[in-house]
Amino acid sequence: MAHPITPKSSSPVGESKPRIDAREKVTGAALYADDIQFGNKLLYARIKRSPYPHALIKKIDVSRALALPGVKAVVTGQDFPGFIGLYLKDRHIFCRERVRYVGDPVAGVAAINPETAEKAVNLIDVEYEVLEPVFDPEFGASPQAPVLHPELGQYIVASFILPRPGSNISNHFKIRKGDVSSAWQKCSKVIERKYRIPHIQHVPIEPHVAIAKVEESGEATLWDSSQSPFAQRDLIAETLGIPQSKMRVIAPLVGGGFGGKAGVSMESLAVAIASKVRGYPVKLLLTREEEFFTAFVRQGLVATFKMGCDVDGKLLAMQNTFFWDGGAYTEYGVNITRAAGYSCTGPYEVPNVHTDSYCVYTNHPVGGPMRGFGMPEMHSGLEQCIDELAHEIGMDAVEFRRRNCLKGGSILPTGGRMHPTGLSECLEKAAEAIDWGRKAQPSAPNKRRGKGLALMWKAPAMPGNAGSSAWIELAEDGTLTLGVGCQDIGQGAFTVAAQMAAAAFGVPYESVRVATPVDTRYSPYEWQTVASRITWSTGNAIIAAAQDARRQVLNLVARAWGETTDDLDIVNGMVVSFKSEREIPVKDFAVAGLPKPDGNGWMGGPIIGRGNFIPADVTGLDPETGQGEHAVVHFTTGAQAIELEVDLDTGRIEILKGVAAFDVGKAINPELVKAQMEGGLIQGISSALFERLQLKDGVVQNASFVDYRIATSSDLPKSVQSIIVEVPQADGPWGARGIGEHSMVPTLPAIANAIYDAIGIRFEGPPFTAEKIYLAMLDAGIVK
């Protein structure tokens, strides 16, 4: 099987009937782009949302909204009693008895234009009984906190998620390895630190948008910006009582996702509303303000780390407690909590480990997946503690990591063993690239310069049966049409998919066309485009499909020529024989077949290859100890190093150089791999220096790009270096494993360590704004 060639370029639903009459004319210049595809039957949806973080719904009166001309339907939670959720079904599509965060959907409207829909929403009257809210996950996990989900014990939940009914803890994941209590007395140095990581937003430039249509037959179609079309098909259909075969999801290219468009969030609202106006498409578009607090946010975290080492710098014990602020609903957050639990030591071998990772309901926006899936938050404090422990025993931070980082065969916190990894090489290369150990002079007298480094690891956080599939069809001109169900969200998934199909079958990259958009009616199944698993998982399915098609081709030609398939190969779209030196283009028989050797009839026919993949060896973990043989499929590991300057006059941080080194197994497309390293580094810088959802009494105070700062081109490091390390993954395509999320994981602690190196100050959490830095220097007497 040839290596993939990098291309030169890459190119039953409720039965109530709606009040449908002739659509009123829209005055003025209101021309809606979606009219082009959906015509003048397109309706527009808006959502009535809760103004309270926690309250009982006493009464909803929609009569005034229904009376407004142009309104075609108004729906509430009473129309849709089912629960929805990926790992934990803990919410209704529209709230029924209570609301749990500011922005919780209470009712929906479909109208002839957005303005009428907005007016109708304002005419819906809701009577609430305000309840005591929970805003802190530590308090939320305590017995004193009001219980936000009294029905927790009745919810349907994945077998590996362990909720505590009667509390706000929707998942409690434990690691109990060795004997932590007795290990502390053997430690030369012990440190204990606490960190707070705030909520942040994904801020995709394209906000969430969905158009849904339910036919009179009950068949539903959803067009949306999605990382998870097949999961949406399954979950929405199940909740609304539609057979999955009658629920179709079409997902064009996504204008930014970063995890925020995974699973189901607002999309179910559009389908639910459309079910009441059958035959009419309904469009729901989140405003930029809504995007900040009604779509998934990254969970907040309160983390306590205690770790100790011996006199030689060998880690002996670690005790960690994580309180994840999962928000109002934790259908996805429960698995983030689990992932942080089994990854709790970071990429280090620690013989004695005691960890509790809690997912806690609060009355904040809904926490969900974001790039890194809990690993940036968890590593933020852990990697600073590693630096501090090294400092406490007088050892260089790189040397400390060198002695403790995972290697092939190391025992993991879950009790299994680490597969071969290039983590040590990543550490050495990142340190070398930053000139570690050599103090550079600041660029001006009012500047202080510092260097910092951090390691990371991350596994695909997914069920053990998360599957992928692919098909390949040959056309008359020899072109391969590749069907996949994964999504391209800017990471180049379709490019790499085409490369792998071409290499595995035996044609040039340019001879492969990826069938888009992803359409659950025609595209092969894919669990979700999440967890940095597509190159690995979908890639294996693509190879299987290509090999299936290849076998058909070679078997056909072998029969025609009286040879064996061992004598044949496919090279650049040509079947060649090493025995007879004959050759024939695949296009000559890809559809039409070949004559039988005796000339009487034909054999072969249209070539279609099929392939699938599912992890075969992931084992369960003991619920009380977290121990198990094979907790995850694999880990991607890496390192980042940062050099920066702090302006003593303003507190502003300037990143001078960023270095990223990651073991990707095998870089199928090195330029795309480097792009992921660079993009993750920049996003990590943004989360470290600028980003935070400012929440006051459950209300987001900075729900706009005016007040929510993200990194721009002016904040980029002067120099960025990406280093590819390749230690093959045994079950990866050509040895490949994922890199999409990993490059954001170690950035924040690397920056925090560099800040400490520059000014000697540590912080409880980000963002490290200029104001925060300056005031800390003032308190420390560094500036006056």
Side-chain angles (χ1 to χ4, degrees), residues 261-581:
K261 292 175 181 174
V264 179
S265 55
M266 53 79 75
E267 301 83 9
S268 60
L269 301 173
V271 181
I273 296 171
S275 71
K276 302 303 181 182
V277 286
R278 292 194 176 194
Y280 284 72
V282 176
K283 178 179 181 179
L284 177 60
L285 170 67
L286 295 190
T287 66
R288 177 56 63 184
E289 182 181 19
E290 286 177 315
E291 187 73 32
F292 274 97
F293 64 94
T294 69
F296 286 138
V297 302
R298 192 175 81 174
Q299 296 186 126
L301 172 64
V302 180
T304 301
F305 298 91
K306 182 180 180 181
M307 61 180 69
C309 65
D310 64 18
V311 67
D312 296 319
K314 193 67 176 176
L315 284 166
L316 297 181
M318 194 177 289
Q319 184 169 346
N320 306 329
T321 305
F322 306 141
F323 292 98
W324 294 89
D325 188 336
Y329 307 99
T330 63
E331 57 157 307
Y332 233 123
V334 289
N335 200 35
I336 296 171
T337 299
R338 184 176 188 268
Y342 61 63
S343 307
C344 61
T345 59
Y348 304 100
E349 185 169 12
V350 186
N352 303 287
V353 186
H354 184 291
T355 291
D356 292 287
S357 187
Y358 301 98
C359 190
V360 185
Y361 285 120
T362 69
N363 296 114
H364 281 149
V366 180
M370 185 174 176
R371 191 177 195 172
F373 207 72
M375 295 302 103
E377 304 94 286
M378 190 273 287
H379 282 74
S380 293
L382 186 144
E383 280 295 302
Q384 291 185 69
C385 287
I386 292 291
D387 251 39
E388 287 200 66
L389 191 54
H391 178 77
E392 285 290 319
I393 64 167
M395 183 177 290
D396 175 76
V398 168
E399 176 59 29
F400 188 88
R401 288 179 169 86
R402 187 181 290 127
R403 296 186 182 196
N404 290 286
C405 72
L406 291 168
K407 300 158 182 77
S410 294
I411 300 177
L412 305 178
T414 53
R417 291 193 177 271
M418 184 66 178
H419 55 74
T421 176
L423 179 58
S424 296
E425 186 179 349
C426 294
L427 171 62
E428 302 301 336
K429 288 182 177 295
E432 180 183 0
I434 207 77
D435 289 327
W436 187 266
R438 190 177 304 167
K439 193 72 174 179
Q441 294 299 310
S443 62
N446 67 327
K447 303 286 182 70
R448 288 195 181 179
R449 187 172 291 206
K451 297 178 182 179
L453 184 143
L455 303 186
M456 64 75 60
W457 72 333
K458 183 191 179 299
M462 63 186 199
N465 62 344
S468 300
S469 59
W471 52 255
I472 286 176
E473 182 178 21
L474 274 66
E476 292 88 344
D477 60 359
T479 296
L480 273 63
T481 298
L482 171 63
V484 289
C486 65
Q487 185 61 287
D488 200 311
I489 55 176
Q491 83 281 41
F494 292 164
T495 299
V496 170
Q499 284 182 252
M500 291 191 286
F505 183 81
V507 295
Y509 165 82
E510 292 78 10
S511 295
V512 180
R513 183 178 69 90
V514 179
T516 61
V518 176
D519 183 334
T520 59
R521 178 171 291 179
Y522 305 112
S523 301
Y525 176 85
E526 180 62 62
W527 180 61
Q528 297 185 81
T529 301
V530 297
S532 302
R533 55 181 287 280
I534 296 304
T535 297
W536 169 74
S537 184
T538 310
N540 276 318
I542 291 169
I543 291 172
Q547 291 176 338
D548 182 31
R550 179 185 173 90
R551 278 192 297 270
Q552 296 175 53
V553 167
L554 296 181
N555 285 333
L556 176 61
V557 174
R559 289 173 59 197
W561 290 355
E563 301 185 26
T564 70
T565 57
D566 293 338
D567 300 326
L568 307 176
D569 197 3
I570 305 176
V571 180
N572 290 325
M574 189 81 69
V575 179
V576 298
S577 170
F578 302 117
K579 179 180 180 181
S580 64
E581 298 187 356

Side-chain angles (χ1 to χ4, degrees), residues 46-49 60 62 74-77 94 105-109 121 124:
R46 293 296 295 146
I47 306 301
K48 179 74 171 182
R49 300 186 181 276
I60 303 177
V62 302
V74 180
V75 302
T76 70
F94 288 93
V106 175
V109 171
V121 162
I124 298 173

Side-chain angles (χ1 to χ4, degrees), residues 44-66:
Y44 296 84
R46 293 296 295 146
I47 306 301
K48 179 74 171 182
R49 300 186 181 276
S50 169
Y52 301 107
H54 192 203
L56 296 177
I57 300 173
K58 308 302 290 184
K59 181 182 179 182
I60 303 177
D61 185 353
V62 302
S63 58
R64 292 198 299 152
L66 280 170

Side-chain angles (χ1 to χ4, degrees), residues 150-169:
E151 311 89 351
L152 178 57
Q154 302 168 23
Y155 293 156
I156 297 173
V157 60
S159 61
F160 51 85
I161 302 301
L162 306 169
R164 280 194 188 173
S167 77
N168 290 319
I169 300 172

Side-chain angles (χ1 to χ4, degrees), residues 23 25 59 111 118 139 231 282 310 369 407 459 467 546 587 641 678 694 739 762:
R23 177 170 173 157
K25 292 182 179 180
K59 181 182 179 182
E118 189 66 38
F139 171 69
V282 176
D310 64 18
K407 300 158 182 77
K587 67 179 182 179
E678 294 164 4
Q694 297 175 14
I739 183 58
R762 295 244 177 228

Side-chain angles (χ1 to χ4, degrees), residues 760-774:
I761 300 175
R762 295 244 177 228
F763 298 86
E764 188 181 46
F768 308 126
T769 62
E771 179 184 21
K772 182 186 287 188
I773 298 291
Y774 184 81

